[in-house]
Amino acid sequence: MAVQKKLLRALAGEKQDVPPIWMMRQAGRYLPEYRATRAEAGDFLSLCYNSDLAAEVTLQPIRRYGFDAAILFADILLVPQALGADLWFVTGEGPRLSTITTEADFAKLGPASDIHDTLNPIYETVRILSSELPSETTLIGFAGAPWTVATYMIAGRGTPDQGPAHRLREENTALFEALLARITEATIDYLSKQIEAGAEVVKIFDSWAGSLKGEAFQKYALEPCRQITAALKERHPGIPVIGFPREAGEKYVGFAKATGVDCVALDNSVDPVWAAANVQVDGCVQGNLASRHMVTGGQELVDETRRIVEAFRNGPHIFNLGHGITPDANPDNVQLMIDTVRNG
Ligand code: CP3
């Protein structure tokens, strides 16, 4: 049977006059209906683990805007929690975790095979979504890339330069690599279960890939993404994978070929004309409007949206932002972006 969904067609390499569109963090605090459901759940983590409410917030932006894809509502830091790390969110600041800096800290983590007791509600969310989504909407599952997840596990929080993770990488490479291997193994199992539950595509978020330079990028960003992609495609032949090595810069070139991903997501520091010539030549690309346009709107949003659509017109493209939409965004600007992509 021919692939009909717009997003799956782009991932299969088809160029379309109007690209499919979705948005990173499309279920989020800029939407009043999200804030209401989050309040009902109590807090962010309770929302992630409440399958009915997590499915509800995943569906909200689909109902409001008719995006071509829905992304499972969860978080990349649920994997560390399922491995045994403590995790909590400080309102207005972000995530906090117990830190991993010594062999003794690492020894407290459970095996990758033990994650599913904690993560079962996430698979249930996927099952609910795959029966409730409109037939034209693609369901995307996701996980964090091992490096990005490790940066939070090592530092116990978000860090501007990922300093603690780089220090462990240099000072105790064996421990660092053991941690990355554990996360890689857990991520393969986690994504595999999402696919079994109904995810049609999976995306690997490497938000801090850009801070790995030279050989370190090859070893700790590219190689884990290659391993995860290869294992998933072996278990689930044909499953499309989107890679997001954020701020990889010129290392976006050849990333799809080297890792086997079907699509690379571009952040907004990348020039779309350059990316069309150097990255899209290898297959589908996703991106890359700057999130700030969802706050500022107006003619600048329209012009920049048109410029991106135009640059990627001659190959497979999924329209998206270059990073997640922020809580201060105006929902009307999202509609303006969609209208511009769909109507020119
Ligand atoms: O895109 C989606 O709508 C799907 C859900 C999703 C969330 N987080 C929900 C979320 C996805 C795909 C993520 C990925 C994620 N989480 C990443 C990688 C992508 C990126 O943004 O770089 C990272 C690094 C995290 C870790 C994380 N989660 C941080 C650093 C924070 C705090 C910062 C913030 O925006 O508040 C979160 C919280 C988070 N994850 C929220 C949402 C909707 C906000 C929580 C709230 O409602 O209070």
Side-chain angles (χ1 to χ4, degrees):
M1 197 187 80
V3 173
Q4 295 299 335
K5 297 186 183 188
K6 271 183 82 68
L7 193 103
L8 295 177
R9 281 160 52 200
L11 289 167
E14 188 184 319
K15 150 178 119 63
Q16 295 170 71
D17 291 337
V18 174
I21 178 168
W22 68 282
M23 205 172 59
M24 279 185 265
R25 293 275 175 100
Q26 62 191 20
R29 288 162 291 179
Y30 73 105
L31 288 180
E33 58 268 37
Y34 170 85
R35 296 195 298 268
T37 310
R38 186 177 176 281
E40 190 186 333
D43 58 57
F44 173 66
L45 281 176
S46 306
L47 178 54
C48 290
Y49 288 114
N50 182 321
S51 307
D52 290 322
L53 295 184
E56 166 58 24
V57 293
T58 307
L59 291 165
Q60 286 168 349
I62 307 304
R63 285 190 206 114
R64 189 191 262 256
Y65 298 115
F67 283 115
D68 294 293
I71 184 161
L72 163 70
F73 188 85
D75 197 83
I76 66 165
L77 300 178
L78 305 185
V79 165
Q81 187 174 40
L83 283 169
D86 295 329
L87 171 69
W88 66 104
F89 279 80
V90 180
T91 311
E93 290 188 30
R96 295 287 183 275
L97 299 91
S98 44
T99 59
I100 298 190
T101 55
T102 64
E103 277 79 4
D105 298 331
F106 181 67
K108 287 187 218 145
L109 295 181
S113 55
D114 279 4
I115 61 175
H116 305 300
D117 284 349
T118 303
L119 296 172
N120 268 325
I122 311 306
Y123 313 140
E124 178 59 18
T125 307
V126 175
R127 277 190 288 274
I128 295 170
L129 287 167
S130 67
S131 77
E132 291 198 0
L133 276 168
S135 59
E136 67 276 15
T137 315
T138 302
L139 179 55
I140 304 174
F142 75 93
W147 160 249
T148 288
V149 172
T151 66
Y152 290 94
M153 292 181 82
I154 294 163
R157 58 193 299 160
T159 44
D161 58 358
Q162 296 74 61
H166 285 294
R167 272 194 295 284
L168 188 71
R169 170 170 83 73
E170 280 157 16
E171 289 165 13
N172 192 344
T173 308
L175 176 60
F176 173 78
E177 291 187 349
L179 176 61
L180 238 64
R182 182 73 54 87
I183 302 167
T184 301
E185 196 189 337
T187 302
I188 291 167
D189 278 3
Y190 179 47
L191 290 175
S192 202
K193 292 271 191 199
Q194 291 183 26
I195 295 163
E196 282 159 24
E200 300 168 279
V201 176
V202 293
K203 178 168 174 185
I204 303 166
F205 284 85
D206 210 350
S207 304
W208 301 118
S211 80
L212 290 165
K213 306 294 178 203
E215 197 200 344
F217 181 89
Q218 305 298 318
K219 278 170 88 170
Y220 305 127
L222 195 149
E223 180 55 21
C225 183
R226 191 197 65 73
Q227 282 174 19
I228 293 166
T229 304
L232 291 175
K233 285 182 181 275
E234 196 184 312
R235 292 189 201 179
H236 312 278
I239 185 77
V241 179
I242 304 174
F244 183 34
R246 193 170 74 88
E247 294 191 350
E250 60 193 31
K251 296 197 206 66
Y252 273 117
V253 179
F255 189 85
K257 273 193 175 156
T259 57
V261 300
D262 301 270
C263 174
V264 277
L266 304 165
D267 67 80
N268 49 269
S269 68
V270 174
D271 176 63
V273 174
W274 174 87
N278 293 285
V279 186
Q280 198 186 26
V281 286
D282 291 337
C284 189
V285 293
Q286 177 179 285
N288 69 342
L289 183 69
S291 312
R292 68 178 170 81
H293 293 293
M294 298 301 101
V295 182
T296 55
Q299 192 59 39
E300 212 198 339
L301 180 163
V302 172
D303 291 347
E304 192 56 18
T305 300
R306 285 183 181 149
R307 192 172 81 89
I308 291 166
V309 171
E310 190 54 39
F312 294 123
R313 190 177 287 289
N314 295 319
H317 176 216
I318 298 166
F319 195 93
N320 205 308
L321 302 178
H323 200 187
I325 188 169
T326 52
D328 55 345
N330 179 342
D332 295 342
N333 291 334
V334 176
Q335 190 63 55
L336 179 59
M337 169 183 72
I338 294 170
D339 292 344
T340 306
V341 169
R342 291 188 172 157
N343 308 326

